[in-house]
Amino acid sequence: MLASSRICNGLIAWAASGLSLLVLLPIAACDMVESKAEPDPTLAGGETTLFRATPESFAMPAPNLTGDRLEKHLVGDFEFEKKFVTAPAEVNSGLGPLFNRTSCASCHTRNGRDKPDVSLLVRISSGQDFLQGPVPVAGLGLQIQDRAVAGARPEARVVIEYEEISGSFADGEPYSLRKPAYRLEDLDAPLPAGVDLSPRMARPVFGLGLLEAVSEVTLEDIAAEQVAGGEVSGRINYVWDMESETVRVGRFGWKANQPTVRQQTADAYRSDMGITSPLIPVETSIVSGQHDGLEDDPEISAETVDAVAFYMQTLAVPAARDVGQPKVEGGRTLFTRIGCASCHRPSLETGLAPDLPEVSSQTIFAYTDLLLHDMGEGLADHREDFRAGAREWRTPPLWGVGLTEIVNQHTFFLHDGRARNLKEAILWHDGEASSARERFRTLSRSERDALLEFLRSL
Ligand code: HEC
Ligand code: HEC
């Protein structure tokens, strides 16, 4: 990359020196050199990459954002941090009556994922509707809100108990995994038979404009390639898009159950904080008969939803670190060799994003295929989410995983944070990922260390 741009600079200088007839040829040659250059995995977020490994790594505007657009981003930033209070109030009004937390940033702390005891929520449903997806549970809706404003009743308390399961690597080194069991206590409405529960912790919110800009055709091609290729067979989730009232490719959330950053945002306002917007103007508490009786809906404007979505679409992606360092490069090779890269696809190309030139037409290193995979019985939540089956999860992007500890002071991973570190996250892999996990289990100690060192460099 560096070498090629140096050649180009040289050629451009030459062109500018007045030998105008020679200009065409050298520039064509320069283009060829450019297109052959391998994209640099350091630049995880293409042109939105920022070189910074600090607690604020997930919370910086993309460096290619300027002028009015930077201002809109900063408005979104302010709204993302805003703590809501019970209505009616002069400012920040509208919290609840039922909610999980008072601001986006209280679960997505510094735009990352807070620990499961802070950011975990439980989705619930009574089966599925063909088009609209999960069906709300009578009296409780689609999510357990474990808090309520004064005078209202929380829907339930989520209790998690862990059981240790021991295992060992092929070389005899022991490990222990903690298997969670979930229980709802102090329920406000009786839980009907056959309700499906899905515990989920928060995820980092940077890089989402880039992921949204990967074309549907690209994802369809990857899915087709996997079916032809054998070991893994990812599937696209197709979900309901409330704005266009059509079925679209799902990309966001642990089961890829949201089609766009905007819809994910409006749904988070409504379901996690009890804040209505023009996109979703009805309080979730209606189903539990706990409406506050105020005629203040929508409680935020479409511009606010827009600004918050834009904020997340245009955050900088932190650069990978230590690229080229021998141990990291050894880990990168193993990552591909043992099959991790089949799902955690190192690079993707973004297409043209309407209104978002900052994220259009770039090579990104997100380490995901955005597809659903059967991850086996141990990780299964048994709750269908549109086309995502009982045991399926979306391959989560791995960019930034190595910064989790710096940003959020913990290393809990997977959809419910059961893994206490990266090693445990890998050891839980099963189903379509069982061969990759088995190859990890049979690596030597130093190879395992190199693989983990590579993950920490992301
Ligand atoms: C109670 C904690 C909590 C609050 C408050 C919260 N979130 Fe989330 N967020 C989550 C969880 C849990 C998920 C995963 C949801 C899923 O998989 O269905 C998530 C997922 C997301 C995602 C998808 C990320 C990805 O990688 O797919 C975005 C975007 C997001 N939240 C934005 C927001 C915004 C914006 C707000 C405020 C309006 C907000 N969240 C408030 C817990 C929270
Ligand atoms: C069949 C596809 C597939 C393969 C192969 C695979 N993964 Fe995953 N990976 C996933 C899915 C899906 C999840 C999310 C599972 C969950 O949360 O329950 C995941 C989660 C993870 C996580 C946790 C990410 C987070 O944000 O919490 C890490 C780390 C990880 N994988 C690393 C690896 C490594 C290393 C390998 C190779 C040994 C590998 N994966 C192989 C699909 C795959």
Side-chain angles (χ1 to χ4, degrees):
M1 190 83 178
L2 261 185
S4 73
S5 52
R6 225 176 283 133
I7 294 169
C8 289
N9 289 343
L11 291 171
I12 288 158
W14 178 25
S17 71
L19 300 167
S20 52
L21 270 178
L22 290 171
V23 167
L24 274 178
L25 262 178
I27 285 186
C30 164
D31 280 344
M32 273 170 53
V33 176
E34 275 290 42
S35 61
K36 273 193 200 151
E38 283 284 306
D40 178 357
T42 304
L43 303 177
E47 292 159 23
T48 72
T49 308
L50 197 74
F51 288 80
R52 183 183 293 238
T54 71
E56 298 306 320
S57 288
F58 301 166
M60 304 302 293
N64 59 354
L65 202 58
T66 53
D68 289 356
R69 298 176 68 78
L70 181 56
E71 253 159 58
K72 180 173 178 184
H73 175 97
L74 297 175
V75 170
D77 187 359
F78 177 80
E79 295 292 337
F80 193 86
E81 304 281 332
K82 187 187 265 184
K83 287 194 189 322
F84 284 84
V85 297
T86 313
E90 285 289 312
V91 286
N92 305 357
S93 178
L95 180 66
L98 302 182
F99 64 99
N100 292 90
R101 294 269 154 181
T102 60
S103 69
C104 308
S106 48
C107 292
H108 300 281
T109 307
R110 280 181 289 280
N111 293 355
R113 58 184 114 190
D114 213 317
K115 298 187 186 80
D117 59 344
V118 175
S119 80
L120 186 125
L121 53 83
V122 173
R123 296 210 186 288
I124 50 172
S125 47
S126 293
Q128 282 244 85
D129 173 77
F130 180 70
L131 272 182
Q132 313 251 335
V135 174
V137 177
L140 292 167
L142 285 169
Q143 179 171 319
I144 294 291
Q145 279 92 20
D146 57 0
R147 285 166 202 224
V149 300
R153 305 172 309 273
E155 290 179 320
R157 210 158 46 81
V158 178
V159 181
I160 315 176
E161 270 159 21
Y162 293 104
E163 175 199 344
E164 293 288 332
I165 304 172
S166 52
S168 57
F169 288 101
D171 65 9
E173 187 182 307
Y175 60 76
S176 180
L177 300 178
R178 51 173 204 166
K179 182 177 158 49
Y182 294 90
R183 211 170 59 237
L184 297 177
E185 285 193 350
D186 305 332
L187 272 153
D188 187 51
L191 206 59
V195 167
D196 302 318
L197 303 185
S198 182
R200 305 192 190 176
M201 79 185 282
R203 283 201 54 80
V205 297
F206 65 83
L208 303 187
L210 293 162
L211 296 177
E212 200 170 38
V214 176
S215 76
E216 301 196 351
V217 175
T218 302
L219 300 181
E220 282 157 9
D221 287 350
I222 295 173
E225 210 178 276
Q226 289 185 357
V227 170
E231 193 167 294
V232 304
S233 51
R235 297 188 316 119
I236 293 178
N237 200 356
Y238 289 97
V239 306
W240 188 244
D241 179 9
M242 293 186 279
E243 288 189 274
S244 63
E245 302 198 315
T246 54
V247 169
R248 288 185 55 186
V249 169
R251 299 166 190 259
F252 302 109
W254 288 99
K255 285 210 167 200
N257 57 317
Q258 291 289 357
T260 61
V261 178
R262 262 171 69 84
Q263 182 165 316
Q264 169 80 54
T265 303
D267 187 55
Y269 269 117
R270 191 265 310 259
S271 306
D272 305 347
M273 285 144 67
I275 306 288
T276 52
S277 65
L279 266 72
I280 313 183
V282 183
E283 292 280 11
T284 126
S285 54
I286 288 263
V287 288
S288 48
Q290 298 208 65
H291 193 245
D292 58 11
L294 298 173
E295 300 215 349
D296 60 352
D297 303 309
E299 290 156 334
I300 53 167
S301 66
E303 289 74 46
T304 299
V305 175
D306 238 25
V308 172
F310 184 75
Y311 170 65
M312 297 186 291
Q313 284 163 331
T314 55
L315 284 161
V317 172
R321 295 152 314 286
D322 302 325
V323 173
Q325 199 247 44
K327 196 166 171 190
V328 166
E329 292 312 312
R332 188 191 310 277
T333 305
L334 285 166
F335 187 80
T336 301
R337 201 181 82 202
I338 69 174
C340 312
S342 343
C343 299
H344 297 282
R345 208 181 157 86
S347 68
L348 286 170
E349 304 294 325
T350 69
L352 283 175
D355 308 324
L356 284 171
E358 292 85 356
V359 299
S360 294
S361 311
Q362 296 175 35
T363 303
I364 59 171
F365 291 84
Y367 302 91
T368 178
D369 55 8
L370 294 176
L371 300 178
L372 298 169
H373 296 273
D374 179 336
M375 293 299 284
E377 203 46 40
L379 287 172
D381 63 350
H382 297 289
R383 176 179 181 269
E384 292 178 12
D385 209 335
F386 295 92
R387 309 272 171 99
R391 294 153 44 127
E392 284 180 317
W393 299 98
R394 174 196 71 161
T395 310
L398 297 181
W399 53 13
V401 278
L403 291 166
T404 309
E405 195 164 4
I406 296 179
V407 173
N408 292 123
Q409 287 90 49
H410 72 79
T411 54
F412 294 111
F413 294 105
L414 298 175
H415 67 270
D416 55 3
R418 68 178 68 188
R420 289 165 290 202
N421 49 49
L422 292 166
K423 183 177 80 181
E424 290 185 14
I426 304 170
L427 290 166
W428 272 108
H429 281 55
D430 198 6
E432 285 174 50
S434 59
S435 309
R437 186 221 48 237
E438 228 6 59
R439 287 182 214 117
F440 174 67
R441 212 184 57 81
T442 50
L443 290 178
S444 71
R445 174 70 196 255
S446 66
E447 288 172 319
R448 292 193 315 259
D449 283 350
L451 185 73
L452 294 170
E453 190 75 4
F454 164 66
L455 293 177
R456 282 191 291 267
S457 79
L458 300 179

